[in-house]
Coordinates of all heavy atoms in Angstrom, one line a residue:
D13 N -8.5 23.5 21.7 CA -9.6 24.3 22.3 C -9.8 25.7 21.7 O -10.7 26.4 22.1 CB -9.3 24.5 23.8 CG -9.3 23.1 24.5 OD1 -10.0 22.2 24.0 OD2 -8.5 22.9 25.4
L39 N -14.0 7.8 -6.5 CA -15.1 7.0 -7.0 C -16.4 7.6 -6.5 O -17.4 7.6 -7.2 CB -15.0 5.6 -6.5 CG -13.8 4.8 -7.0 CD1 -13.7 3.4 -6.4 CD2 -13.8 4.7 -8.5
S68 N -5.3 -5.5 -10.9 CA -6.6 -5.3 -10.4 C -6.9 -3.8 -10.4 O -8.0 -3.4 -10.8 CB -6.6 -5.9 -8.9 OG -7.6 -5.2 -8.2
I76 N -13.1 3.2 -15.5 CA -13.5 4.6 -15.5 C -12.7 5.5 -16.5 O -12.6 6.7 -16.3 CB -13.4 5.2 -14.0 CG1 -12.1 5.0 -13.4 CG2 -14.5 4.5 -13.2 CD1 -11.9 5.7 -12.0
F102 N 15.5 -18.9 -11.2 CA 14.2 -19.5 -11.3 C 13.1 -18.4 -11.2 O 13.2 -17.5 -10.4 CB 14.1 -20.5 -10.1 CG 12.7 -21.0 -9.9 CD1 12.1 -21.9 -10.8 CD2 12.1 -20.7 -8.7 CE1 10.9 -22.3 -10.5 CE2 10.8 -21.2 -8.4 CZ 10.2 -22.0 -9.4
R109 N 1.2 -14.4 -18.1 CA 0.3 -15.5 -18.5 C -1.1 -15.2 -18.2 O -2.0 -15.9 -18.6 CB 0.7 -16.8 -17.8 CG 2.1 -17.3 -18.1 CD 2.4 -18.5 -17.2 NE 1.4 -19.5 -17.2 CZ 1.1 -20.4 -18.1 NH1 2.0 -20.4 -19.2 NH2 0.1 -21.2 -18.1
T112 N -5.7 -10.7 -19.0 CA -6.1 -9.3 -18.6 C -5.4 -8.4 -19.6 O -4.3 -8.8 -20.2 CB -5.6 -9.0 -17.2 OG1 -5.7 -7.6 -17.0 CG2 -4.2 -9.4 -16.8
K196 N -2.5 -8.5 16.0 CA -1.2 -8.4 15.3 C -0.5 -9.7 15.2 O -0.5 -10.5 16.2 CB -0.3 -7.4 16.0 CG -0.7 -6.0 15.9 CD 0.3 -5.0 16.4 CE -0.3 -3.6 16.4 NZ 0.6 -2.6 16.9
S198 N 3.5 -11.2 14.1 CA 4.8 -10.6 13.8 C 5.5 -11.4 12.8 O 6.1 -12.4 13.1 CB 5.6 -10.5 15.1 OG 6.7 -9.8 14.9
P199 N 5.5 -11.0 11.5 CA 6.3 -11.7 10.5 C 7.8 -11.7 10.9 O 8.2 -10.9 11.7 CB 6.1 -10.9 9.3 CG 4.8 -10.2 9.5 CD 4.8 -9.8 11.0
K210 N 21.5 3.7 -11.7 CA 21.7 3.0 -13.0 C 23.1 3.3 -13.5 O 23.6 4.4 -13.4 CB 20.7 3.4 -14.0 CG 19.3 2.9 -13.8 CD 19.1 1.6 -14.6 CE 17.8 0.9 -14.3 NZ 16.7 1.2 -15.2
V259 N 26.5 1.1 6.8 CA 26.2 0.8 5.4 C 27.2 -0.1 4.7 O 26.8 -0.8 3.7 CB 26.1 2.1 4.5 CG1 24.8 2.8 4.6 CG2 27.2 3.1 4.9
Q327 N -8.7 -2.0 -3.3 CA -9.9 -2.9 -3.4 C -10.9 -2.6 -2.3 O -12.1 -2.6 -2.6 CB -9.5 -4.3 -3.4 CG -8.7 -4.7 -4.6 CD -8.5 -6.3 -4.7 OE1 -8.6 -7.0 -3.7 NE2 -8.1 -6.7 -5.9
Q356 N -17.4 -8.3 2.7 CA -16.9 -8.6 1.4 C -15.4 -8.5 1.4 O -14.7 -9.2 0.6 CB -17.4 -7.6 0.4 CG -18.9 -7.8 0.1 CD -19.4 -7.0 -1.1 OE1 -18.6 -6.7 -2.0 NE2 -20.6 -6.7 -1.1
G386 N 20.7 -21.6 -0.5 CA 20.4 -23.0 -0.8 C 19.8 -23.1 -2.2 O 19.8 -22.2 -3.0
K397 N 5.6 -25.9 -12.2 CA 5.5 -26.9 -13.2 C 4.1 -27.4 -13.6 O 3.8 -27.7 -14.7 CB 6.4 -28.1 -12.8 CG 7.8 -27.9 -13.0 CD 8.6 -29.2 -13.2 CE 10.1 -29.0 -13.4 NZ 10.9 -29.3 -12.3

Side-chain angles (χ1 to χ4, degrees):
D13 298 327
L39 297 177
S68 156
I76 54 174
F102 168 66
R109 297 175 49 81
T112 167
K196 291 188 184 175
S198 188
K210 284 268 173 95
V259 275
Q327 289 190 344
Q356 289 191 28
K397 280 205 178 107

